[in-house]
Amino acid sequence: MGLYEKDLQPRVANVNAMLKVPVTQELFDALVSLTFNAGEKNLANSDLIKKLNAGNYQAMPSEFIRWVYTSKKKSLGLQIRRIKEMVSFAVPYIKK
């Protein structure tokens, strides 16, 4: 097992433990990606997870875009990453 897989496994397990509602694979992947920046504890206590677990899937884009700060400053790299994640998990809903 490579370093990436070792780093990924606990995050996957933590996201699985946080979720109380079904999500698409794309949304799950975006949540796992978000844990790399936000940390599991921050994500577990976030409005994003609370809204998601309440079934408010429509709030996800606006909640994801809030996670773009590093050292209290907006990061262009994180903004781009969050937008890509939002597009990725929104596409299956748009296709329906």
Side-chain angles (χ1 to χ4, degrees), residues 45-65:
N45 295 315
S46 70
D47 289 339
L48 185 153
I49 289 296
K50 289 173 188 165
K51 289 179 181 181
L52 179 58
N53 282 333
N56 188 353
Y57 297 94
Q58 295 82 6
M60 292 304 94
S62 61
E63 286 300 317
F64 261 80
I65 203 64

